[in-house]
Amino acid sequence: MAFMKTLFFVVYLLSSLLLLHSIATHEGLESITLSLIHPFSVHSPFYPGKNVTDVEKTNLLIQATVDRMRHLFPMTTRSQGKYWNGSSEVDDIAATVLEYSGAYYVAKVGIGSFPPVPGPKWLTYYLIMDTGSHITWVQCEGCNPCFPLIQIPNFPFSRSQSYRSIPCGHRDCPTPREDCYGGSCGFIARYSGNDGPLTRGTIARETLTFSSDISGSMAYNNLFLACGLQNNNYRFRQPNKIAGLLDLGPGGRGTPPIWRQVDQKRFSYCLFTSEQTSSKLHIGEGARLAQPQVMSTPLLRGSDISIAGIRLKLWGFFRFGGCVIDTGVPFTSIVAKAYSIVRIVFIRYFAQFGLQLYGSGSRPSGLPMFDLCFPRPPQGFRFPTMTFHFKRADLVVQPTGVFSVGSNYICVTLRSGDVTLIGAYQQTQHKFSFDLELGNTGTLFFAPENCGAPV
């Protein structure tokens, strides 16, 4: 918890959700390379279909952002009406977080050892890659209650030759004795308050395999894996392929995160907005940035914002709440008092060109559920950039990461919130590298980069 409190960027690496495609297989492994598939790609298990409109896809991302905020801050996230704005007075909510809209990345992971079955010697599962969690778990055989799972059985741990149970109270058990499940090392994973999803079960040692069509596979033996045996209040959209969670968090009361278990302390990622391209995640030495435009900032509190080069002097609004960089949140939220100023600046900017904010009476049907939407600008319109100012480093978000543009509208992809989180959409076309060894609290490096590669 002390680590979490000192972070300027609370690093929820990809809780958000990622599709794993490749990993190096050479001796003396120095880094893991993962291919990240856009959730709306035809290659994603969450592909919504070719008849889904761009506005419907955007609204899925908006709902995913709201769900994520409820997950991270269940006691402070507030509903804000039909559209995102900072003016509504409403009651606190603590809704179920795992009603997934399908606007996420997922991880494809091999679990267990089942020779002499022909082909792969493991079973492949889709896991939610979540750095807000402290447990890597999969739903196992014998669960009661269980959530529905198609195309793959609940993990048959009793038949896996690499499964090693851990007795309750054993020195190898990473959780306290009160979490024991029967006579075994156990865990409790609760999400979003007392009424949210809850998983209980056992913790064991198991082999996890990361696979690729191109580079083969790499198996890691004796990693901690939790078996979900009591899974309550999960409402995955059906038919469901998600079997559990893959932890890439900073650590806590639970199993060590995967990056720590494979003895790495550095990771990086680079996101792209297109559905036809893949992005990359690196864990280990491959996460270092070598570009000449690299900037760095310590992982401490504090930030400011500029729009179209105009500094808004918002340091005071971020002094206590800090700022979170979270790829699990599709769109950025800004603490309410700062958002109100950002909102005014955008309205004034568009007003210079005769473009007035759509109000409740003038708002056309079929617009995304954003607060700041305007008529589409004419050809040649100069879109403003948005810059987040950190200590010794500026993150310049290009217009493609600030606006959602349709045939008759342009919307600013921001929302008002109780905390400030820089979401995945605003992180696109930059490579971010987190080094948890440098400095007292770690260091963030980032640089502009064309992140996409053909799927």
Side-chain angles (χ1 to χ4, degrees):
M1 293 302 296
F3 177 85
M4 297 292 285
K5 292 179 181 177
T6 58
L7 282 181
F8 162 48
F9 292 116
V10 182
V11 183
Y12 297 103
L13 169 58
L14 288 164
S15 86
S16 43
L17 309 169
L18 313 169
L19 187 57
L20 174 68
H21 263 235
S22 63
I23 184 168
T25 58
H26 58 278
E27 293 293 324
L29 179 69
E30 293 185 348
S31 64
I32 297 171
T33 301
L34 314 178
S35 182
L36 314 182
I37 306 300
H38 194 285
F40 297 150
S41 166
V42 295
H43 301 279
S44 168
F46 289 127
Y47 176 59
K50 62 182 180 180
N51 295 325
V52 177
T53 67
D54 289 342
V55 170
E56 290 171 332
K57 291 176 182 178
T58 300
N59 286 338
L60 283 174
L61 294 174
I62 292 173
Q63 184 58 49
T65 304
V66 174
D67 290 345
R68 178 63 173 169
M69 292 289 288
R70 292 171 181 167
H71 180 9
L72 300 180
F73 308 99
M75 301 309 295
T76 60
T77 304
R78 299 175 183 270
S79 171
Q80 295 181 352
K82 185 176 181 181
Y83 308 112
W84 283 352
N85 60 69
S87 61
S88 301
E89 292 292 336
V90 296
D91 296 330
D92 287 344
I93 58 175
T96 300
V97 306
L98 297 182
E99 294 177 346
Y100 291 104
S101 63
Y104 296 89
Y105 298 95
V106 297
K108 192 175 181 182
V109 180
I111 302 177
S113 301
F114 301 93
V117 177
K121 304 300 190 254
W122 57 85
L123 294 178
T124 301
Y125 291 89
Y126 287 107
L127 304 182
I128 296 166
M129 195 172 272
D130 187 357
T131 61
S133 173
H134 301 311
I135 296 284
T136 293
W137 63 269
V138 63
Q139 181 165 268
C140 287
E141 64 179 6
C143 56
N144 184 22
C146 314
F147 50 76
L149 185 60
I150 67 166
Q151 295 183 350
I152 193 74
N154 295 322
F155 178 61
F157 65 93
S158 62
R159 293 194 288 110
S160 172
Q161 295 186 8
S162 52
Y163 185 89
R164 300 289 182 267
S165 62
I166 303 173
C168 175
H170 191 274
R171 63 183 181 183
D172 199 29
C173 180
T175 53
R177 183 179 287 272
E178 58 263 31
D179 288 349
C180 284
Y181 192 90
S184 298
C185 176
F187 77 101
I188 301 174
R190 186 184 298 276
Y191 307 94
S192 199
N194 292 331
D195 297 328
L198 171 68
T199 292
R200 295 194 63 189
T202 61
I203 295 176
R205 294 282 195 173
E206 183 56 286
T207 296
L208 300 186
T209 302
F210 305 97
S211 62
S212 169
D213 294 335
I214 300 173
S215 59
S217 61
M218 170 62 74
Y220 290 89
N221 300 318
N222 295 316
L223 299 185
F224 285 112
L225 176 71
C227 259
L229 296 172
Q230 293 181 5
N231 303 308
N232 297 279
N233 301 332
Y234 288 90
R235 297 179 176 88
F236 293 107
R237 287 198 169 193
Q238 301 303 317
N240 171 51
K241 297 181 181 179
I242 298 300
L245 274 77
L246 183 66
D247 170 29
L248 279 171
R253 177 171 167 163
T255 58
I258 292 298
W259 55 266
R260 182 175 296 168
Q261 292 193 58
V262 297
D263 198 27
Q264 301 291 351
K265 296 184 179 180
R266 183 180 297 109
F267 53 80
S268 70
Y269 59 84
C270 197
L271 304 178
F272 198 73
T273 57
S274 172
E275 301 167 19
Q276 283 74 47
T277 57
S278 63
S279 304
K280 298 295 181 183
L281 165 70
H282 301 279
I283 301 175
E285 290 302 309
R288 292 184 183 274
L289 300 188
Q291 298 94 330
Q293 296 174 281
V294 171
M295 289 184 279
S296 67
T297 184
L299 296 173
L300 300 169
R301 298 184 185 275
S303 63
D304 194 11
I305 292 174
S306 290
I307 296 173
I310 301 174
R311 194 80 170 241
L312 304 187
K313 300 180 180 179
L314 302 176
W315 287 100
F317 298 124
F318 305 123
R319 184 177 303 162
F320 301 105
C323 181
V324 176
I325 185 165
D326 186 0
T327 56
V329 173
F331 297 117
T332 293
S333 71
I334 300 174
V335 66
K337 290 184 178 180
Y339 176 81
S340 64
I341 296 174
V342 170
R343 187 177 190 273
I344 290 171
V345 173
F346 272 116
I347 291 173
R348 289 177 177 173
Y349 184 89
F350 281 91
Q352 299 177 85
F353 304 96
L355 300 172
Q356 301 300 317
L357 177 71
Y358 281 132
S360 57
S362 61
R363 187 182 181 95
S365 61
L367 266 62
M369 293 185 296
F370 290 113
D371 169 41
L372 283 167
C373 291
F374 304 84
R376 177 165 176 159
Q379 286 280 4
F381 178 79
R382 184 170 182 174
F383 292 94
T385 59
M386 184 175 183
T387 303
F388 292 91
H389 300 282
F390 309 125
K391 187 175 182 179
R392 301 192 304 270
D394 294 337
L395 173 62
V396 181
V397 183
Q398 297 300 322
T400 53
V402 179
F403 301 101
S404 174
V405 182
S407 60
N408 63 336
Y409 68 84
I410 179 172
C411 296
V412 182
T413 57
L414 304 173
R415 72 180 296 269
S416 173
D418 293 314
V419 293
T420 298
L421 297 97
I422 301 177
Y425 196 78
Q426 281 68 41
Q427 296 176 48
T428 55
Q429 299 303 82
H430 281 81
K431 186 173 184 179
F432 292 85
S433 177
F434 297 86
D435 191 318
L436 304 180
E437 291 184 309
L438 292 180
N440 294 327
T441 58
T443 301
L444 167 69
F445 298 85
F446 58 87
E449 183 166 316
N450 182 3
C451 304
V455 172

